[in-house]
Amino acid sequence: MSEEVTFMRYIIFFDLPVTTEEKRKAANQFRLFLKKDGYQMLQLSVYSRILRGRESMQKHFKRIKQHLPKEGAIRALLVTEKQFAQMAILLGERNLQEKKVNQDQMLLF
């Protein structure tokens, strides 16, 4: 028998200093890394990526650690796809990037 695949969301929250040209460059490089690595912006300084199982989470955790800027605050949160789908939007609307993606659906841009 095959194991059931668990899809999860990795949510990255960051607050990076942009007071100098060097710090702005470092913050932009981190943001560009996230986009290149498959993360999608939920809100300003909040990015998420769908993962397939805990092994994938460990791989991406290591990748993020390799691209950390020298200063700032960065947090990571792992939630199940079911938990992510239950997120309440208090103001505004869901955008295309926030639609639920599971093994039965594919999100195309």
Side-chain angles (χ1 to χ4, degrees):
M1 287 192 299
S2 64
E3 288 185 34
E4 184 178 325
V5 176
T6 303
F7 287 93
M8 307 175 94
R9 291 277 177 151
Y10 209 21
I11 304 173
I12 306 298
F13 307 85
F14 58 93
D15 186 11
L16 301 175
V18 291
T19 54
T20 67
E21 182 66 31
E22 182 181 338
K23 291 176 183 181
R24 278 190 297 278
K25 183 177 179 182
N28 194 44
Q29 285 175 338
F30 182 70
R31 186 185 59 77
L32 290 175
F33 158 73
L34 290 174
K35 288 179 75 174
K36 191 174 187 179
D37 202 41
Y39 290 82
Q40 299 158 346
M41 186 171 73
L42 287 177
Q43 290 185 200
L44 190 62
S45 300
V46 180
Y47 283 68
S48 80
R49 184 186 202 292
I50 194 162
L51 301 174
R52 185 177 175 173
R54 291 209 178 265
E55 191 174 298
S56 180
M57 184 272 302
Q58 292 170 348
K59 177 182 97 173
H60 285 280
F61 183 74
K62 287 178 185 177
R63 289 176 55 84
I64 287 173
K65 285 181 72 174
Q66 292 171 346
H67 290 86
L68 292 175
K70 292 179 184 175
E71 296 181 57
I74 300 174
R75 290 171 172 76
L77 176 65
L78 186 65
V79 297
T80 65
E81 195 55 20
K82 183 177 179 180
Q83 290 168 324
F84 184 82
Q86 294 173 356
M87 183 186 333
I89 297 177
L90 303 177
L91 181 64
E93 299 176 5
R94 289 191 186 276
N95 61 35
L96 183 61
Q97 296 173 350
E98 292 177 287
K99 289 187 178 177
K100 184 177 177 188
V101 178
N102 61 37
Q103 61 261 33
D104 301 323
Q105 299 174 325
M106 191 177 339
L107 185 61
L108 301 174
F109 296 89

